[in-house]
Amino acid sequence: MSAFVPDAPQHPPAGTAPEVLPANPGVLTLTGERTIPDLDIENYWFRRHQVVYQRLAKHCVDRDVLEAGCGEGYGADLIADVARRVIAVDYDEAAVAHVRSRYPRVDVMQANLAELPLPDASMDVVVNFQVIEHLWDQTQFVKECARVLRPSGLLMMSTPNRITFSPGRDTPINPFHTRELNADELTELLVDAGFTRVAVSGLFHGARLREMDLRHGGSIIEAQIALAVAGDEGVPWPPQLAADVAAVTIDDFELVGAGDRDTHPIDDSLDLVAIAVRP
């Protein structure tokens, strides 16, 4: 997930081949569907995603890891620092070509996430960050994650919190999203697929980002979305907003577990981060 881009197409239904675009393995275009590194205007969203990879990479040490929905590939490459092996799957041909070119440590393949091209009980960890909200058949995908995991394997998932990301709406604000979840809905999805010991944490702005929120009308997120919705290409961002977005780091986010619900209610979180165990 990246910043909101209006009038963008959604993913095709499961079982439908995606439109194939000419692949340039050196560069992926910023479309709003996925975040990419090394762009100042995208830095807030990139760091908001990167922090989850950084904090959860410890669960991948010396393990066989699948990233289901790898996007640009930076996360799979980060996991490759510690994992025994990293396999990445994405439905988009251009993304797969890019990952294959830029991140040679990652074994990447193109496939539909509703039909993962892996044998039963072949992986120790499945990583699925900021992807489930894009999928048409979420139940089938989570069952596929359970199928490819070995006993006691981990599914690690993150997704925008529906309550704060699309407040008061029946449909997602981001046109690339098919169904967003709150904490209870995410837990139910995982439990119904047979996962146990489901633990859901919340991602929040830390102190410096809360200061930035105050500088930009109460929400640095809404300030960025307002510019995207305006759609005035070539119009420069306000200098303070541009500087603040470019300065965001992973240390500006807090990942808060269930033990701190009194101070950080899960329904107030920006993103939900779940770890679940395959029996």
Side-chain angles (χ1 to χ4, degrees), residues 179-199:
R179 179 196 176 207
E180 295 170 355
L181 304 163
N182 63 28
D184 290 341
E185 291 163 344
L186 176 58
T187 300
E188 182 180 10
L189 180 69
L190 298 175
V191 170
D192 287 351
F195 285 92
T196 62
R197 290 155 49 194
V198 178

Side-chain angles (χ1 to χ4, degrees), residues 37 72-77 98-108:
E72 194 273 344
Y74 65 88
D77 188 62
H98 173 83
V99 173
R100 187 170 290 130
S101 173
R102 183 168 182 179
Y103 303 113
R105 298 186 298 177
V106 177
D107 182 4
V108 63

Side-chain angles (χ1 to χ4, degrees), residues 113 123 227:
L113 298 189
M123 307 304 297
L227 289 171

Side-chain angles (χ1 to χ4, degrees), residues 1-10 30-35 41-42 44-45 48-49 134 160 165-166 169 171-177 180 220-233 237:
M1 177 201 56
S2 176
F4 168 65
V5 175
D7 301 323
Q10 292 187 347
L30 181 64
T31 65
E33 184 174 14
R34 66 174 70 87
T35 191
I41 63 168
E42 181 67 7
Y44 168 85
W45 299 100
R48 179 165 155 177
H49 294 185
H134 293 259
F165 197 80
S166 298
R169 291 174 58 98
T171 56
I173 191 172
N174 188 316
F176 290 109
H177 294 180
E180 295 170 355
I220 192 172
I221 300 170
E222 292 183 8
Q224 294 174 83
I225 291 175
L227 289 171
V229 171
D232 295 328
E233 295 184 9
W237 285 25

Side-chain angles (χ1 to χ4, degrees), residues 128-177:
N128 180 249
F129 294 157
Q130 303 295 330
V131 173
I132 189 73
E133 66 276 5
H134 293 259
L135 303 182
W136 291 92
D137 195 341
Q138 296 176 345
T139 298
Q140 171 62 22
F141 166 68
V142 176
K143 288 180 179 178
E144 277 290 276
C145 292
R147 180 185 65 79
V148 303
L149 280 169
R150 296 171 179 138
S152 300
L154 299 180
L155 172 58
M156 303 196 300
M157 183 177 289
S158 73
T159 189
N161 178 9
R162 175 175 60 78
I163 296 172
T164 58
F165 197 80
S166 298
R169 291 174 58 98
D170 294 328
T171 56
I173 191 172
N174 188 316
F176 290 109
H177 294 180

